[in-house]
């Protein structure tokens, strides 16, 4: 039977999108006993260079939202990071990141689901993760899905991307920082205590 370590080795060695993306370099973090799982979009340029998830300002904001420090965030025994696309997908014509390659999620996410049995909270960051994992329960937009967080909580928590590009979104939706983030931080404290 394949172990999670075997699966992670396969993911890190994956070259399924070679020739379609700048350079395959899968970035993933997980351990069998992880209690929290983050499913984001795909690594950006900084993460691609570092080989470590969320090593950018969006990672700083995400850690603030979760109420945890870098040590706990990068502890695979506590927190798994399994993005929709494990490799940097390249830049679009406007200089933004391209969407994650759909093949990646189809190849790996179900296998990860089967191995991450101890996960108690799953954060779905952005529309790609929300559509994939929620299916018919996705509300049609990230805003509507995040606004409906009570329908999924406490096990599944939809979040917008923590990028600076979403500063205006956060200001327009004060309930996000006034209601959702405090719930997230309370539940994260329970999981780590």
């Amino acid at each position: 039977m394949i172990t999670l370590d075997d699966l992670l080795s396969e993911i890190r060695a994956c070259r399924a999108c070679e020739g379609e993306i700048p350079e395959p370099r899968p970035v993933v973090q997980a351990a069998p006993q992880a209690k929290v799982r983050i499913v984001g979009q795909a690594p950006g340029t900084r993460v691609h260079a570092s080989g470590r998830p969320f090593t950018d300002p969006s990672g700083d904001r995400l850690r603030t939202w979760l109420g945890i420090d870098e040590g706990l965030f990068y502890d695979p025994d506590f927190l798994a990071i399994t993005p929709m696309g494990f490799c940097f997908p390249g830049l679009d014509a406007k200089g933004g990141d391209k969407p994650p390659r759909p093949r990646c999620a189809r190849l790996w996410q179900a296998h990860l689901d089967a191995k991450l049995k101890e996960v108690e909270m799953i954060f779905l960051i952005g529309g790609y993760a929300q559509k994939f994992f929620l299916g018919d329960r996705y509300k049609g937009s990230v805003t509507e899905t995040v606004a409906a967080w009570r329908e999924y909580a406490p096990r599944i928590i939809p979040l917008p991307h923590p990028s600076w590009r979403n500063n205006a979104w956060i200001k327009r939706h004060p309930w996000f920082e006034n209601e959702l983030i405090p719930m997230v931080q309370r539940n994260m404290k329970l999981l780590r205590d």
Side-chain angles (χ1 to χ4, degrees):
M1 179 167 174
I2 188 170
T3 67
L4 179 59
D5 284 340
D6 295 334
L7 179 60
L8 293 174
S9 292
E10 285 184 40
I11 290 170
R12 290 182 179 117
C14 181
R15 298 297 177 264
C17 295
E18 197 160 31
E20 300 171 17
I21 60 173
E23 172 195 2
R25 185 178 187 197
V27 177
V28 61
Q29 169 182 303
Q33 61 272 32
K35 297 214 177 300
V36 177
R37 182 174 176 188
I38 294 173
V39 183
Q41 185 165 301
T45 54
R46 289 186 189 184
V47 173
H48 178 72
S50 73
R52 194 171 188 204
F54 288 101
T55 51
D56 54 20
S58 66
D60 296 336
R61 177 179 265 174
L62 180 58
R63 287 184 285 279
T64 298
W65 287 352
L66 301 181
I68 61 175
D69 62 16
E70 279 192 29
L72 195 55
F73 187 83
Y74 290 114
D75 179 356
D77 291 337
F78 179 72
L79 193 143
I81 302 173
T82 63
M84 294 300 293
F86 292 106
C87 297
F88 172 58
L91 298 175
D92 63 22
K94 294 180 181 178
D97 292 354
K98 289 182 178 178
R101 304 294 302 165
R103 177 184 304 133
C104 197
R106 291 192 306 263
L107 281 172
W108 303 112
Q109 291 297 337
H111 297 293
L112 287 161
D113 291 347
K115 299 296 177 192
L116 295 170
K117 297 289 191 192
E118 301 301 316
V119 168
E120 295 180 38
M121 282 183 79
I122 302 171
F123 292 96
L124 302 178
I125 299 176
Y128 295 102
Q130 292 165 13
K131 288 175 199 170
F132 186 85
F133 279 88
L134 296 175
D136 293 349
R137 296 174 64 205
Y138 180 69
K139 303 296 182 186
S141 74
V142 170
T143 298
E144 292 176 63
T145 304
V146 176
W149 64 271
R150 288 176 180 86
E151 292 181 30
Y152 315 109
R155 178 160 167 70
I156 296 174
I157 309 296
L159 295 175
H161 196 281
S163 165
W164 62 269
R165 288 183 174 101
N166 282 331
N167 287 345
W169 185 95
I170 292 167
K171 284 182 183 175
R172 282 193 316 273
H173 302 94
W175 52 264
F176 177 74
E177 288 186 320
N178 295 333
E179 299 171 25
L180 177 54
I181 294 303
M183 180 280 299
V184 164
Q185 292 176 354
R186 282 192 305 274
N187 285 322
M188 289 292 287
K189 187 175 185 325
L190 290 172
L191 287 175
R192 69 179 188 261
D193 289 346

